Amino acid sequence: MTVVERAFIGGERVQDTGAATFASIDPATEKVIAQVAQTSHEQVDAAVQTAATAQREWARRSVDSRASTLWRWGELILAAGDELAQLDTYDIGRPISDSTNDPAACARATRYWAGMAEQIRGDQLPTAPGHLSYTVREPIGVVAIILPWNGPMLSLCNRVAPALACGNGVVVKPSEWSPMSAGLLAELALDAGLPAGLLNVVLGDGRVGAALVEHRDVGGVSFTGSVATGRTIARAAAGKTITMELGGKSANIVFADADLETAIDAAVWGVFANTGQVCCAGTRLIVERSIADEFVTNVAQRSVLLRVGDPLDPQTQLGPVASKTQYDRVNRYLDDAVSGGARMATGGGRPADAGEVGYYIAPTVVCDAAPGSGIVREEIFGPVLAVQQFEDEAEAVGLANDSRYGLAANIWTENAGRMLRVADQLEVGTVWGNTSRVMDPALPFGGFKDSGVGNAYGDAAVEGLTRLKRVSVRYGTDTPVPRWPR
């Protein structure tokens, strides 16, 4: 019998046998793993309404009760970790060795926000004599969370946990390419003690997302995805609180005085982990000219050694890209780069031993591409590294900032002064110095320029998930009240 994945609304799976369905495809085998029921506009409305009702109950709970529930959710995620990992691996081809690490990261997110629940507070503002003025942070109400496809369970937990900690109800729409783990995570949250209907999952394409974003009772929107879709959502969500992460083309700057062995390993991992399908992957290697040839040769040699294959094999390091659409898109960029005169130091197509099934692309290092070419400037979201060279610090900064994106960057140097100077000049939201992709729920992570609006992590996430109320109370009887003169 074919498995049908259904929306989770009001604490239960929606049973709508007449719903239209679409196939969820395993990118490693190109086989259908499930049929997914498209959520109707009426069901989206029901999800928002039930979230609004449950949110009022949730907001009345003590902070300790909310924190304990979030903590229990993390424990249940850990217990169901193997099943969740397999769902994500089947959905997007994420190597199982990576997917099995994600439940622990999810639990870290729920635990962090369990602790943060009691830290959401306002300030006293002693400005008007004879008055007590203070601010409070209140929940928005219902938050719509639209997720990307590249890290399904981890993205959900990292967005939902702070929204719940701030007292909100949530309606989640996972990507239609990776819908499988979201319903199970919602079931686990219900088992942990969330009120039925506080966390809902709707399924489908952009029409479902549009209905959710435009709903009159949605107070905030969290979106992770492309710039084009983000702009459409921003127009549709006018008047709502918006947090967006819209991708990147992150620079990995390597100076000649760096610890080169470590920088080489980090460059390879930083661009090819999760088959390059990471918004902050170091997809532009900007390397000092005096060491460029040797450095790139070493990066290429280590890339060839990466194990590409069945994502369910624990030894696999790179699986397929997530879909046929993405497979075709990445290959178009590679074809255009070759047509434009670029040279492939390694890769550039399908791995020789990959067979004919599955959306596999070899780890690819591209040299000599034109500065204005798509391979250098566009977010490709695949296992592709574009190499550029620089002579001095100023040129390195100029190349790194020559992008419409501003999500993250890496700097490799043993010169502390240079590290700080370059970090100060980079037009990005996150800088990693002599390391790569250090992430934690406590650490802010947001983009500049076209890479986003607001922040989804750390203290900064609270601003996008609450509304600020100011209260001023006159207590001094001799304090005048503003009025017309008598």
Side-chain angles (χ1 to χ4, degrees):
M1 184 174 66
T2 303
V3 174
V4 179
E5 185 72 14
R6 301 186 185 279
F8 187 84
I9 299 174
E12 60 185 10
R13 298 280 186 165
V14 173
Q15 298 301 314
D16 183 359
T17 56
T21 62
F22 58 92
S24 180
I25 307 293
D26 180 348
T29 64
E30 303 183 39
K31 293 180 179 179
V32 176
I33 55 176
Q35 293 292 332
V36 183
Q38 174 98 352
T39 304
S40 69
H41 282 210
E42 292 76 16
Q43 290 166 342
V44 170
D45 179 65
V48 175
Q49 296 302 330
T50 193
T53 299
Q55 185 271 330
R56 289 189 284 274
E57 176 191 341
W58 180 246
R60 287 194 297 269
R61 288 192 184 186
S62 68
V63 172
D64 182 66
S65 174
R66 295 202 302 266
S68 297
T69 302
L70 284 170
W71 191 281
R72 284 197 299 274
W73 186 30
E75 295 297 301
L76 294 178
I77 289 170
L78 284 174
D82 289 345
E83 183 179 359
L84 287 164
Q86 288 182 352
L87 288 173
D88 277 8
T89 291
Y90 279 124
D91 247 353
I92 64 167
R94 181 168 169 80
I96 193 69
S97 57
D98 292 334
S99 294
T100 52
N101 293 325
D102 288 349
C106 288
R108 164 61 182 155
T110 60
R111 290 166 176 168
Y112 173 79
W113 284 103
M116 277 293 293
E118 65 182 15
Q119 303 300 322
I120 299 166
R121 58 184 65 156
D123 297 296
Q124 181 188 350
L125 309 170
T127 56
H131 292 77
L132 172 64
S133 293
Y134 61 92
T135 61
V136 292
R137 287 274 176 191
E138 297 183 341
I140 289 173
V142 178
V143 178
I145 299 178
I146 301 177
L147 298 174
W149 46 261
N150 59 320
M153 78 168 102
L154 193 53
S155 293
L156 187 148
C157 292
N158 278 328
R159 297 305 191 273
V160 170
L164 296 178
C166 289
N168 296 293
V170 174
V171 182
V172 174
K173 192 197 91 66
S175 169
E176 58 269 36
W177 291 357
S178 55
M180 301 296 290
S181 61
L184 177 54
L185 287 165
E187 290 176 344
L188 295 173
L190 184 68
D191 292 342
L194 256 65
L198 188 70
L199 171 55
N200 305 277
V201 176
V202 295
L203 304 172
D205 57 22
R207 292 171 293 177
V208 177
L212 183 57
V213 168
E214 294 168 1
H215 198 287
R216 64 188 180 280
D217 293 326
V218 166
V221 176
S222 172
F223 170 73
T224 306
S226 71
V227 173
T229 303
R231 287 173 174 164
T232 299
I233 288 175
R235 289 190 291 269
K240 306 178 191 296
T241 301
I242 301 174
T243 300
M244 292 188 177
E245 182 188 310
L246 304 179
K249 190 71 174 177
S250 297
N252 187 21
I253 306 170
V254 181
F255 288 91
D257 68 339
D259 175 351
L260 297 182
E261 279 298 307
T262 302
I264 291 165
D265 285 340
V268 173
W269 181 87
V271 69
F272 296 133
N274 202 26
T275 319
Q277 298 168 125
V278 178
C279 57
C280 57
T283 51
R284 290 186 295 151
L285 175 60
I286 301 174
V287 58
E288 192 165 352
R289 184 163 284 112
S290 62
I291 60 165
D293 289 346
E294 183 178 0
F295 192 91
V296 172
T297 296
N298 277 281
V299 167
Q301 289 173 346
R302 295 186 197 186
S303 301
V304 171
L305 298 177
L306 294 174
R307 293 183 292 274
V308 182
D310 179 3
L312 290 171
D313 183 344
Q315 301 303 311
T316 293
Q317 294 168 300
L318 273 74
V321 293
S323 69
K324 179 66 160 58
T325 299
Q326 194 63 16
Y327 178 79
D328 291 342
R329 181 176 183 271
V330 174
N331 279 306
R332 281 196 301 272
Y333 274 108
L334 295 176
D335 291 343
D336 289 347
V338 172
S339 298
R343 173 178 60 87
M344 303 295 168
T346 188
R350 193 175 184 83
D353 56 354
E356 297 181 358
V357 177
Y359 308 132
Y360 291 97
I361 298 173
T364 301
V365 179
V366 183
C367 300
D368 305 325
S373 63
I375 209 87
V376 172
R377 303 196 68 80
E378 299 299 322
E379 183 178 44
I380 296 172
F381 237 58
V384 179
L385 176 64
V387 178
Q388 296 175 282
Q389 300 181 19
F390 67 89
E391 287 288 351
D392 56 26
E393 194 174 302
E395 187 178 9
V397 171
L399 288 170
N401 287 340
D402 185 20
S403 173
R404 65 181 178 133
Y405 296 105
L407 187 58
N410 305 265
I411 308 168
W412 294 88
T413 178
E414 294 297 292
N415 184 316
R418 172 183 289 144
M419 177 72 74
L420 296 176
R421 285 193 304 272
V422 173
D424 188 56
Q425 297 174 75
L426 291 177
E427 298 167 352
V428 297
T430 298
V431 176
W432 290 295
N434 290 334
T435 190
S436 182
R437 298 222 310 257
V438 175
M439 300 291 288
D440 189 86
L443 298 173
F445 184 69
F448 295 175
K449 300 192 281 191
D450 278 359
S451 285
V453 177
N455 206 295
Y457 291 76
D459 293 349
V462 174
E463 183 174 349
L465 295 167
T466 58
R467 52 191 181 186
L468 188 67
K469 177 183 286 183
R470 189 258 287 185
V471 178
S472 292
V473 178
R474 173 178 169 265
Y475 63 82
T477 56
D478 57 348
T479 301
V481 176
R483 62 185 177 185
W484 297 110
R486 293 180 181 177

PDB file of all heavy atoms in Angstrom, residues 11 32 51 55 139 146 153 218 243 266 309 317-318 368 392 422 434 444 448 454 471 483:
ATOM      1  N   GLY A  11      -3.634  18.650  16.257  1.00  0.00           N
ATOM      2  CA  GLY A  11      -3.185  17.507  17.035  1.00  0.00           C
ATOM      3  C   GLY A  11      -3.398  16.168  16.382  1.00  0.00           C
ATOM      4  O   GLY A  11      -3.224  15.123  17.031  1.00  0.00           O
ATOM      5  N   VAL A  32       9.555   6.654  -6.050  1.00  0.00           N
ATOM      6  CA  VAL A  32       8.578   7.320  -5.193  1.00  0.00           C
ATOM      7  C   VAL A  32       8.609   6.668  -3.814  1.00  0.00           C
ATOM      8  O   VAL A  32       8.474   5.450  -3.689  1.00  0.00           O
ATOM      9  CB  VAL A  32       7.171   7.222  -5.797  1.00  0.00           C
ATOM     10  CG1 VAL A  32       6.134   7.830  -4.850  1.00  0.00           C
ATOM     11  CG2 VAL A  32       7.118   7.926  -7.154  1.00  0.00           C
ATOM     12  N   ALA A  51      -4.196  27.073  15.678  1.00  0.00           N
ATOM     13  CA  ALA A  51      -2.967  27.587  16.301  1.00  0.00           C
ATOM     14  C   ALA A  51      -3.263  28.804  17.160  1.00  0.00           C
ATOM     15  O   ALA A  51      -2.704  28.963  18.257  1.00  0.00           O
ATOM     16  CB  ALA A  51      -1.941  27.929  15.237  1.00  0.00           C
ATOM     17  N   GLN A  55      -2.662  28.875  21.065  1.00  0.00           N
ATOM     18  CA  GLN A  55      -1.671  29.857  21.535  1.00  0.00           C
ATOM     19  C   GLN A  55      -2.139  30.589  22.776  1.00  0.00           C
ATOM     20  O   GLN A  55      -1.342  30.878  23.673  1.00  0.00           O
ATOM     21  CB  GLN A  55      -1.368  30.865  20.408  1.00  0.00           C
ATOM     22  CG  GLN A  55      -0.263  31.851  20.728  1.00  0.00           C
ATOM     23  CD  GLN A  55      -0.752  33.119  21.422  1.00  0.00           C
ATOM     24  OE1 GLN A  55      -1.890  33.551  21.207  1.00  0.00           O
ATOM     25  NE2 GLN A  55       0.100  33.718  22.248  1.00  0.00           N
ATOM     26  N   PRO A 139       3.902  37.738  22.778  1.00  0.00           N
ATOM     27  CA  PRO A 139       3.894  36.896  21.576  1.00  0.00           C
ATOM     28  C   PRO A 139       3.196  37.599  20.421  1.00  0.00           C
ATOM     29  O   PRO A 139       2.284  38.401  20.621  1.00  0.00           O
ATOM     30  CB  PRO A 139       3.102  35.656  22.016  1.00  0.00           C
ATOM     31  CG  PRO A 139       3.094  35.686  23.507  1.00  0.00           C
ATOM     32  CD  PRO A 139       3.189  37.128  23.908  1.00  0.00           C
ATOM     33  N   ILE A 146       8.043  28.881   6.970  1.00  0.00           N
ATOM     34  CA  ILE A 146       8.203  28.222   5.668  1.00  0.00           C
ATOM     35  C   ILE A 146       9.658  27.790   5.547  1.00  0.00           C
ATOM     36  O   ILE A 146      10.568  28.619   5.567  1.00  0.00           O
ATOM     37  CB  ILE A 146       7.791  29.155   4.525  1.00  0.00           C
ATOM     38  CG1 ILE A 146       6.322  29.575   4.713  1.00  0.00           C
ATOM     39  CG2 ILE A 146       7.977  28.465   3.176  1.00  0.00           C
ATOM     40  CD1 ILE A 146       5.832  30.563   3.677  1.00  0.00           C
ATOM     41  N   MET A 153      14.682  18.397   9.307  1.00  0.00           N
ATOM     42  CA  MET A 153      14.347  18.361  10.737  1.00  0.00           C
ATOM     43  C   MET A 153      15.060  19.460  11.513  1.00  0.00           C
ATOM     44  O   MET A 153      14.484  20.087  12.412  1.00  0.00           O
ATOM     45  CB  MET A 153      14.642  16.984  11.339  1.00  0.00           C
ATOM     46  CG  MET A 153      16.096  16.705  11.642  1.00  0.00           C
ATOM     47  SD  MET A 153      16.371  15.228  12.644  1.00  0.00           S
ATOM     48  CE  MET A 153      16.884  14.072  11.381  1.00  0.00           C
ATOM     49  N   VAL A 218      -2.345  35.449  10.705  1.00  0.00           N
ATOM     50  CA  VAL A 218      -0.915  35.179  10.877  1.00  0.00           C
ATOM     51  C   VAL A 218      -0.224  36.495  11.211  1.00  0.00           C
ATOM     52  O   VAL A 218      -0.320  37.469  10.450  1.00  0.00           O
ATOM     53  CB  VAL A 218      -0.309  34.548   9.611  1.00  0.00           C
ATOM     54  CG1 VAL A 218       1.219  34.585   9.661  1.00  0.00           C
ATOM     55  CG2 VAL A 218      -0.787  33.102   9.459  1.00  0.00           C
ATOM     56  N   THR A 243      10.960  37.581   9.238  1.00  0.00           N
ATOM     57  CA  THR A 243      12.355  37.180   9.358  1.00  0.00           C
ATOM     58  C   THR A 243      12.670  36.299   8.156  1.00  0.00           C
ATOM     59  O   THR A 243      11.929  35.351   7.873  1.00  0.00           O
ATOM     60  CB  THR A 243      12.606  36.383  10.652  1.00  0.00           C
ATOM     61  OG1 THR A 243      12.262  37.186  11.774  1.00  0.00           O
ATOM     62  CG2 THR A 243      14.069  35.969  10.755  1.00  0.00           C
ATOM     63  N   ALA A 266      39.297  22.308   5.728  1.00  0.00           N
ATOM     64  CA  ALA A 266      38.082  23.076   6.001  1.00  0.00           C
ATOM     65  C   ALA A 266      37.436  23.571   4.712  1.00  0.00           C
ATOM     66  O   ALA A 266      36.200  23.636   4.615  1.00  0.00           O
ATOM     67  CB  ALA A 266      38.406  24.259   6.911  1.00  0.00           C
ATOM     68  N   GLY A 309      28.067   8.451  -2.985  1.00  0.00           N
ATOM     69  CA  GLY A 309      27.308   7.236  -3.230  1.00  0.00           C
ATOM     70  C   GLY A 309      26.026   7.162  -2.451  1.00  0.00           C
ATOM     71  O   GLY A 309      25.420   8.191  -2.107  1.00  0.00           O
ATOM     72  N   GLN A 317      30.069  10.199   2.057  1.00  0.00           N
ATOM     73  CA  GLN A 317      30.259  11.588   2.474  1.00  0.00           C
ATOM     74  C   GLN A 317      29.411  12.557   1.657  1.00  0.00           C
ATOM     75  O   GLN A 317      29.002  13.606   2.147  1.00  0.00           O
ATOM     76  CB  GLN A 317      31.746  11.958   2.366  1.00  0.00           C
ATOM     77  CG  GLN A 317      32.619  11.183   3.346  1.00  0.00           C
ATOM     78  CD  GLN A 317      34.096  11.337   3.050  1.00  0.00           C
ATOM     79  OE1 GLN A 317      34.569  10.979   1.976  1.00  0.00           O
ATOM     80  NE2 GLN A 317      34.842  11.847   4.024  1.00  0.00           N
ATOM     81  N   LEU A 318      29.170  12.252   0.392  1.00  0.00           N
ATOM     82  CA  LEU A 318      28.301  13.056  -0.460  1.00  0.00           C
ATOM     83  C   LEU A 318      27.251  12.150  -1.076  1.00  0.00           C
ATOM     84  O   LEU A 318      27.587  11.136  -1.704  1.00  0.00           O
ATOM     85  CB  LEU A 318      29.075  13.743  -1.587  1.00  0.00           C
ATOM     86  CG  LEU A 318      29.694  15.104  -1.301  1.00  0.00           C
ATOM     87  CD1 LEU A 318      30.920  14.950  -0.430  1.00  0.00           C
ATOM     88  CD2 LEU A 318      30.055  15.795  -2.616  1.00  0.00           C
ATOM     89  N   ASP A 368      39.454  29.816 -13.182  1.00  0.00           N
ATOM     90  CA  ASP A 368      39.517  30.699 -14.344  1.00  0.00           C
ATOM     91  C   ASP A 368      38.153  31.093 -14.884  1.00  0.00           C
ATOM     92  O   ASP A 368      38.016  31.442 -16.069  1.00  0.00           O
ATOM     93  CB  ASP A 368      40.336  30.055 -15.478  1.00  0.00           C
ATOM     94  CG  ASP A 368      41.725  29.644 -15.029  1.00  0.00           C
ATOM     95  OD1 ASP A 368      42.312  30.352 -14.180  1.00  0.00           O
ATOM     96  OD2 ASP A 368      42.218  28.601 -15.498  1.00  0.00           O
ATOM     97  N   ASP A 392      46.601  41.195  -2.588  1.00  0.00           N
ATOM     98  CA  ASP A 392      46.775  41.820  -1.278  1.00  0.00           C
ATOM     99  C   ASP A 392      45.445  41.858  -0.533  1.00  0.00           C
ATOM    100  O   ASP A 392      44.399  41.465  -1.044  1.00  0.00           O
ATOM    101  CB  ASP A 392      47.365  43.226  -1.420  1.00  0.00           C
ATOM    102  CG  ASP A 392      46.538  44.135  -2.328  1.00  0.00           C
ATOM    103  OD1 ASP A 392      45.317  43.902  -2.451  1.00  0.00           O
ATOM    104  OD2 ASP A 392      47.115  45.069  -2.905  1.00  0.00           O
ATOM    105  N   VAL A 422      40.136  42.542   8.271  1.00  0.00           N
ATOM    106  CA  VAL A 422      39.304  41.986   7.199  1.00  0.00           C
ATOM    107  C   VAL A 422      37.887  41.719   7.704  1.00  0.00           C
ATOM    108  O   VAL A 422      36.905  42.031   7.028  1.00  0.00           O
ATOM    109  CB  VAL A 422      39.947  40.709   6.630  1.00  0.00           C
ATOM    110  CG1 VAL A 422      39.025  40.025   5.630  1.00  0.00           C
ATOM    111  CG2 VAL A 422      41.280  41.050   5.964  1.00  0.00           C
ATOM    112  N   ASN A 434      39.587  31.292  10.962  1.00  0.00           N
ATOM    113  CA  ASN A 434      40.363  30.056  11.158  1.00  0.00           C
ATOM    114  C   ASN A 434      39.474  28.893  11.606  1.00  0.00           C
ATOM    115  O   ASN A 434      39.894  28.021  12.371  1.00  0.00           O
ATOM    116  CB  ASN A 434      41.495  30.273  12.171  1.00  0.00           C
ATOM    117  CG  ASN A 434      42.576  31.177  11.610  1.00  0.00           C
ATOM    118  OD1 ASN A 434      42.765  31.264  10.395  1.00  0.00           O
ATOM    119  ND2 ASN A 434      43.276  31.871  12.492  1.00  0.00           N
ATOM    120  N   PRO A 444      23.940  34.328  17.052  1.00  0.00           N
ATOM    121  CA  PRO A 444      23.151  34.977  15.993  1.00  0.00           C
ATOM    122  C   PRO A 444      23.597  34.513  14.617  1.00  0.00           C
ATOM    123  O   PRO A 444      24.781  34.238  14.382  1.00  0.00           O
ATOM    124  CB  PRO A 444      23.453  36.470  16.200  1.00  0.00           C
ATOM    125  CG  PRO A 444      23.900  36.580  17.611  1.00  0.00           C
ATOM    126  CD  PRO A 444      24.610  35.302  17.927  1.00  0.00           C
ATOM    127  N   PHE A 448      23.220  40.034   5.521  1.00  0.00           N
ATOM    128  CA  PHE A 448      23.172  41.397   5.008  1.00  0.00           C
ATOM    129  C   PHE A 448      22.776  41.348   3.522  1.00  0.00           C
ATOM    130  O   PHE A 448      22.690  40.285   2.927  1.00  0.00           O
ATOM    131  CB  PHE A 448      24.542  42.074   5.127  1.00  0.00           C
ATOM    132  CG  PHE A 448      25.037  42.298   6.530  1.00  0.00           C
ATOM    133  CD1 PHE A 448      26.316  42.803   6.745  1.00  0.00           C
ATOM    134  CD2 PHE A 448      24.258  42.010   7.636  1.00  0.00           C
ATOM    135  CE1 PHE A 448      26.801  43.019   8.029  1.00  0.00           C
ATOM    136  CE2 PHE A 448      24.723  42.225   8.926  1.00  0.00           C
ATOM    137  CZ  PHE A 448      26.005  42.734   9.114  1.00  0.00           C
ATOM    138  N   GLY A 454      16.476  40.303   9.418  1.00  0.00           N
ATOM    139  CA  GLY A 454      16.274  39.789  10.760  1.00  0.00           C
ATOM    140  C   GLY A 454      17.208  38.638  11.076  1.00  0.00           C
ATOM    141  O   GLY A 454      18.152  38.340  10.351  1.00  0.00           O
ATOM    142  N   VAL A 471       4.440  50.699  28.273  1.00  0.00           N
ATOM    143  CA  VAL A 471       3.424  51.136  29.232  1.00  0.00           C
ATOM    144  C   VAL A 471       4.001  52.290  30.050  1.00  0.00           C
ATOM    145  O   VAL A 471       5.117  52.193  30.553  1.00  0.00           O
ATOM    146  CB  VAL A 471       3.007  49.983  30.166  1.00  0.00           C
ATOM    147  CG1 VAL A 471       1.971  50.479  31.186  1.00  0.00           C
ATOM    148  CG2 VAL A 471       2.458  48.812  29.369  1.00  0.00           C
ATOM    149  N   ARG A 483      -2.807  68.486  29.071  1.00  0.00           N
ATOM    150  CA  ARG A 483      -4.196  68.884  28.813  1.00  0.00           C
ATOM    151  C   ARG A 483      -4.202  70.313  28.347  1.00  0.00           C
ATOM    152  O   ARG A 483      -3.220  71.041  28.439  1.00  0.00           O
ATOM    153  CB  ARG A 483      -5.042  68.713  30.086  1.00  0.00           C
ATOM    154  CG  ARG A 483      -4.591  69.568  31.247  1.00  0.00           C
ATOM    155  CD  ARG A 483      -5.382  69.269  32.499  1.00  0.00           C
ATOM    156  NE  ARG A 483      -4.912  70.044  33.641  1.00  0.00           N
ATOM    157  CZ  ARG A 483      -5.378  69.889  34.862  1.00  0.00           C
ATOM    158  NH1 ARG A 483      -6.280  68.970  35.121  1.00  0.00           N
ATOM    159  NH2 ARG A 483      -4.889  70.649  35.853  1.00  0.00           N
TER     160      ARG A 483
END
